[in-house]
Amino acid sequence: SEIGISEITPIICERSERKFLNENRLKKVLVSAMKQSLKSHLPKLNSVKTLKEFYQNDFKEELFIAHCNDTNKNLLLNALKPKSSSVILIGPEGDFTQKEIDKAIELKFKPVSLGESRFRAETAAIIATHTAVSYTHLRAHETLMNLVCRLLLEKTITTTDTLTTHRSRKHT
C-alpha cells in the first residue's frame, strides 16, 4: 500500500513453500503499511488462489510474468504502456515452473525481466510494483508537463501575435 497498488492476490504455485497464508495477518500488515505511509487507500486483498484459479480471471489489464528463465524478455520498464493498468505475476522462491510460464504466455502474459539480478520473491514484487507505479506517474507527469509547455507556448504565440497586431495598428 505504500507504493500505490490497488489489488493483491496471493497465489499458490507448484514451488510455493507455503500452501496456506493467514489472510487476517496479511490484512493487518496492509492496514499498518497504509497508516505508516499516510495513504488513504487500502489495497484490495483478494483471497488466496492457485495459479490455475488465477488464470481463470477475465483480465482487462496489461499482463506480465516476471521469471528468471533465460528466454527472450523485455525489461518491465520497456514493456509498460502509459496510462494502463497491469497485472504482474511474481513467482515464489525457486521461480515458476516451465509449465506455469508456458501457460501464462499462452494466456497472453508477456515475459519480462526486472533486470540483471536475481531477487527474492518479496524484493521482486516491490521492484515490479515500484517500476509500474513510477512509470505511470512519470508518464502522467511528462504528459502534464508537455501540456503546460504547449499551453505556455500557445500563450506566448498568441501574446506575440497580439503584440504584433497591436503594434501594426499603431503604425498605421
Side-chain angles (χ1 to χ4, degrees), residues 9-172:
T9 305
I11 298 173
I12 305 296
C13 300
E14 286 183 40
R15 293 183 180 155
S16 294
E17 291 177 8
R18 295 184 194 174
K19 301 296 182 190
F20 173 80
L21 295 172
N22 184 339
E23 290 182 41
N24 286 331
R25 183 180 171 284
L26 293 176
K27 286 177 186 173
K28 287 179 183 178
V29 169
L30 285 174
V31 169
S32 174
M34 181 187 73
K35 288 178 180 177
Q36 183 179 9
S37 63
L38 303 176
K39 299 285 184 184
S40 60
H41 173 73
L42 182 66
K44 178 182 178 187
L45 178 62
N46 297 316
S47 59
V48 177
K49 295 181 177 188
T50 65
L51 189 55
K52 186 177 179 180
E53 291 169 331
F54 184 75
Y55 284 155
Q56 293 171 2
N57 287 337
D58 182 27
F59 298 108
K60 304 217 182 328
E61 303 87 355
E62 280 192 281
L63 305 173
F64 301 103
I65 181 168
H67 62 83
C68 298
N69 291 5
D70 289 331
T71 59
N72 189 17
K73 300 178 285 193
N74 286 326
L75 277 173
L76 176 61
L77 181 63
N78 297 334
L80 292 165
K81 293 180 184 170
K83 298 181 184 179
S84 65
S85 297
S86 305
V87 171
I88 306 169
L89 291 175
I90 302 294
E93 299 293 332
D95 207 5
F96 293 106
T97 63
Q98 188 60 50
K99 185 175 135 188
E100 291 170 330
I101 294 167
D102 292 343
K103 183 64 177 176
I105 292 170
E106 178 185 316
L107 295 170
K108 307 297 183 216
F109 281 79
K110 298 172 195 152
V112 291
S113 168
L114 301 178
E116 297 290 321
S117 301
R118 235 176 228 253
F119 301 105
R120 297 189 65 203
E122 297 87 349
T123 307
I126 292 166
I127 290 169
T129 303
H130 185 266
T131 300
V133 171
S134 295
Y135 178 85
T136 302
H137 287 300
L138 284 173
R139 292 296 180 226
H141 181 70
E142 243 177 54
T143 303
L144 180 61
M145 288 305 293
N146 286 339
L147 177 63
V148 168
C149 289
R150 197 169 345 123
L151 289 173
L152 286 173
L153 184 60
E154 287 172 7
K155 179 118 175 109
T156 303
I157 291 169
T158 305
T159 305
T160 305
D161 289 346
T162 305
L163 286 173
T164 305
T165 306
H166 183 66
R167 285 185 191 139
S168 298
R169 286 186 192 153
K170 269 182 139 176
H171 294 295
T172 53

